[in-house]
Amino acid sequence: MGPGIIGQAAGLFAVTNVDDSLVLTLFFAQGAWHPGSTRRIVLGQYLGFATILAVAGTAALGATLLPRSAIPYLGLLPLALGLRAARHAWRHRGEKRAEAAPRVSGPGVLEVAAVTFANGGDNIGAYVPVFATAGVGGMSVYAAVFLLLVALWCLAGRFFATRPLIAGALSRWGHVLLPVVLIAIGLIVLVDGGAFGL
């Protein structure tokens, strides 16, 4: 297990989690003024990603937890969360963001985990064959690299959410962007996977 497998793992993680960086930035922006939200977002991200690794690892070892046909229906999770966030944004339209902020505690651990897991349906599909050919030792290296990179993804999301220019745009438009992104992710997962015969 040399640097080659570490580089492959880093590349695979980056390619399969580009969309996740945008969602993380939006979550961090949503929780910017709420104590403890950073911890909840990071815990949720790790919980969701650990679940993706567990499902992919189990499937690679031959004991599939989720049938392949069920994976597209994971799109229902971000779709439902996006619709809920859109309803909240609609109810509080016209309010100043500072007035609306105290009513929301920022994203919760399970909300972030659900979106991470649902958004990771394509990750599972990519990870299973790689894990199956890597064996248990290689799978362990991939998992370790992935978990380290989750921390980097969280740092990057937090960094971008706190840059003045980006933070200003997200505080002005984040309440609209988050539902749009979540709904889009849900629809993409459903349509690409052929859920409901789409």
Side-chain angles (χ1 to χ4, degrees):
M1 306 296 162
I5 193 169
I6 293 172
Q8 291 169 0
L12 181 60
F13 180 88
V15 167
T16 56
N17 287 286
V18 170
D19 52 348
D20 205 29
S21 61
L22 173 62
V23 175
L24 269 172
T25 301
L26 289 169
F27 275 140
F28 280 117
Q30 185 185 34
W33 307 109
H34 305 286
S37 66
T38 298
R39 182 177 44 82
R40 289 192 302 273
I41 293 166
V42 171
L43 284 173
Q45 181 69 11
Y46 268 101
L47 178 62
F49 202 82
T51 306
I52 289 169
L53 288 178
V55 170
T58 303
L61 295 174
T64 306
L65 289 175
L66 280 178
R68 188 156 181 76
S69 61
I71 290 176
Y73 294 96
L74 293 175
L76 292 171
L77 291 170
L79 180 62
L81 291 169
L83 291 172
R84 190 181 93 192
R87 186 184 67 192
H88 181 270
W90 180 259
R91 282 185 179 169
H92 298 290
R93 69 189 180 281
E95 293 180 15
K96 292 182 182 175
R97 297 307 302 156
E99 292 172 3
R103 296 186 185 145
V104 182
S105 63
V109 172
L110 293 180
E111 179 183 356
V112 175
V115 170
T116 301
F117 182 70
N119 193 27
D122 58 336
N123 297 33
I124 294 169
Y127 298 165
V128 169
V130 172
F131 287 180
T133 58
V136 175
M139 199 182 327
S140 301
V141 173
Y142 274 96
V145 170
F146 287 176
L147 292 173
L148 285 173
L149 290 175
V150 166
L152 181 63
W153 247 234
C154 288
L155 286 171
R158 178 95 168 90
F159 174 81
F160 287 120
T162 57
R163 296 305 93 200
L165 182 64
I166 296 170
L170 290 177
S171 70
R172 183 174 296 129
W173 297 106
H175 66 288
V176 173
L177 277 176
L178 183 64
V180 168
V181 169
L182 291 177
I183 290 168
I185 288 171
L187 291 175
I188 289 168
V189 171
L190 288 168
V191 171
D192 282 354
F196 304 112
L198 299 174

